[in-house]
Amino acid sequence: MTSLDRPQPKPGVMDIAAYVPGRESAPGAAKVWKLSSNETPLGPSPAALEAVQEATQHLERYPDGSASKLRNAIAEAHGLNPANILCSNGSDELLGLLAQTYLKPGDEGIYTEHGFLVYRIQILAAGATPVVVKERNERTDVDEILAAVTDRTKIVFLANPNNPTGTYLPVDEVKRLRAGLPRGVLLVLDAAYAEYVRRNDYEAGIELVSSNDNVVMTRTFSKIYGLAALRIGWMYAPSHVVEAVNRVRGPFNVNSIAIEAGAAAIRDKAHVERAVAHNETWRTWLTEELEKLGLRVTPSVGNFLLVHFPMEGSKTAEAADAFLTSRGYILRRVTGYGFPNALRLTVGCEEANRGVIAALAGFLGR
Ligand SMILES: *Cc1c(COP(=O)(O)O)cnc(C)c1O
């Protein structure tokens, strides 16, 4: 029997390298610290947990297909029109919906060299062609993106800040990118880590979406809100984009528990402030300690650090990963992102942060 005797996936599908999530087990280690998926060490707001309990009372009912309660809560928190918000089962789903809605075979979707891998997966899944552009010093290069645009370009995916580098593009540069794109190209600003950024020249995308027809901003409850398990994402987009994506999405793509938990979480601003403060303190501390150990760290505005290991000798990222894992510290390998000799470290709780630095000092023989 040849493979032609069975159903064939459409072109592009078998070119996808399936997404590999951060590991969560470290066999043999007494205590495990998962620092591989950019999850918050603070967990979700207590108000969100309470809302989850409430929401389990009527699981026989379909959710509100328009997720009105969640959209209204998001709109209120950010000062937006709820009609321009669309919610999803994690922002990953939204990235896929945007690709399905705007890309067909023959079209091109652009993302950057070290950009989030879900973009490539979703461009291929839509049957379109991924176009990867160079970064400069682990930062998005607007000129490289603009130079890669062709008649076939339909979408540009940009994580800002980017994962796994943690670098960001200042608002003036995002505006220059938008201004240089043809009107028919959709610019997707993936702002999964926006809440963590405290820089005056950063803007997640609200202003750009409000003033243009071809920009959307995607957000998530998986990171600072600590609700990754419930899968809640949303986008702020022009009405014509919301109207198109609403036709493509599943009618009940956000479940009732997610709707209630998300609405409660976004109202708890104090919880977000605590998470930001914790992150600022420990990201700074971790960066300094890693540099004292002689490791290069890409300057990050997110809740994670890209840590580079020496190119020569035996102290490679692979060896560090094995050493740390055996001691219960799980970091993320980033070979698939073009960094074969780096690891991504999520800012954890104090005990995890101090422990991972001590373990790395042991690994490096300091
Ligand atoms: C974590 C992350 C997301 C969020 O994914 P969810 O599906 O909402 O959990 C989106 N984009 C980037 C760049 C991320 O790192």
Side-chain angles (χ1 to χ4, degrees):
M1 194 176 87
T2 71
S3 65
L4 290 174
D5 296 328
R6 61 192 196 204
Q8 300 295 305
K10 64 183 181 178
V13 170
M14 299 313 289
D15 298 329
I16 295 173
Y19 188 83
V20 183
R23 285 173 301 134
E24 49 186 275
S25 70
K31 194 163 182 184
V32 176
W33 302 102
K34 187 182 177 206
L35 304 169
S36 58
S37 297
N38 298 346
E39 295 151 349
T40 171
L42 276 62
S45 156
L49 293 178
E50 214 167 289
V52 167
Q53 294 299 327
E54 282 288 297
T56 57
Q57 298 304 305
H58 283 288
L59 297 182
E60 73 282 8
R61 291 187 193 148
Y62 275 97
D64 165 16
S66 64
S68 300
K69 185 166 178 179
L70 180 55
R71 288 192 298 115
N72 288 335
I74 294 167
E76 200 183 303
H78 290 279
L80 306 174
N81 181 348
N84 292 100
I85 293 170
L86 186 145
C87 297
S88 60
N89 188 44
S91 57
D92 282 347
E93 184 195 26
L94 209 38
L95 301 172
L97 288 169
L98 289 165
Q100 292 297 332
T101 305
Y102 290 98
L103 292 173
K104 63 182 184 305
D107 289 344
E108 294 172 353
I110 295 177
Y111 67 97
T112 66
E113 194 180 356
H114 306 298
F116 189 40
L117 280 175
V118 169
Y119 309 148
R120 178 181 188 81
I121 292 172
Q122 297 301 351
I123 292 164
L124 285 166
T129 306
V131 174
V132 190
V133 304
K134 283 236 159 309
E135 296 187 11
R136 187 189 296 264
N137 300 329
E138 293 147 14
R139 284 182 158 69
T140 299
D141 184 330
V142 168
D143 295 311
E144 290 285 343
I145 296 179
L146 293 177
V149 172
T150 71
D151 293 351
R152 294 181 295 278
T153 307
K154 293 289 148 47
I155 203 162
V156 175
F157 284 111
L158 181 71
N160 195 26
N162 186 43
N163 167 17
T165 53
T167 57
Y168 75 105
L169 200 58
V171 61
D172 287 354
E173 283 290 280
V174 182
K175 284 185 179 163
R176 189 164 75 81
L177 170 60
R178 212 291 315 169
L181 289 176
R183 287 162 176 264
V185 175
L186 186 69
L187 174 60
V188 179
L189 300 173
D190 175 351
Y193 301 96
E195 295 84 359
Y196 283 114
V197 187
R198 292 296 135 118
R199 295 295 174 97
N200 291 333
D201 60 354
Y202 174 78
E203 216 260 327
I206 289 175
E207 185 196 327
L208 273 148
V209 173
S210 300
S211 52
N212 293 287
D213 253 352
N214 63 336
V215 185
V216 312
M217 170 189 73
T218 64
R219 303 285 286 258
T220 183
F221 282 79
S222 300
K223 302 289 157 56
I224 207 161
Y225 292 104
L227 293 170
L230 293 182
R231 318 300 307 123
I232 316 169
W234 57 279
M235 72 168 174
Y236 175 53
S239 304
H240 70 96
V241 176
V242 171
E243 280 161 23
V245 175
N246 257 333
R247 290 159 205 253
V248 177
R249 73 172 173 90
F252 306 104
N253 62 330
V254 186
N255 71 71
S256 310
I257 299 173
I259 291 171
E260 296 296 333
I266 207 163
R267 292 195 183 98
D268 189 350
K269 298 204 159 80
H271 189 73
V272 172
E273 286 309 315
R274 275 193 295 276
V276 171
H278 174 91
N279 193 59
E280 291 281 316
T281 302
W282 289 101
R283 187 185 60 215
T284 306
W285 185 84
L286 283 167
T287 304
E288 287 170 5
E289 295 297 317
L290 290 163
E291 286 173 347
K292 279 190 223 161
L293 291 174
L295 300 171
R296 182 169 77 82
V297 181
T298 306
S300 169
V301 295
N303 67 331
F304 55 89
L305 294 167
L306 186 64
V307 187
H308 303 265
F309 287 80
M311 296 304 259
E312 274 144 37
S314 58
K315 304 297 181 191
T316 61
E318 191 180 1
D321 187 42
F323 184 95
L324 293 173
T325 302
S326 72
R327 283 151 182 81
Y329 299 97
I330 306 177
L331 277 64
R332 181 63 157 265
R333 296 283 323 259
V334 281
T335 305
Y337 285 96
F339 295 113
N341 209 22
L343 295 175
R344 193 191 66 197
L345 167 67
T346 303
V347 175
C349 65
E350 174 169 357
E351 192 182 349
N353 297 335
R354 292 193 186 278
V356 76
I357 292 297
L360 269 171
F363 169 71
L364 295 166
R366 302 282 168 129

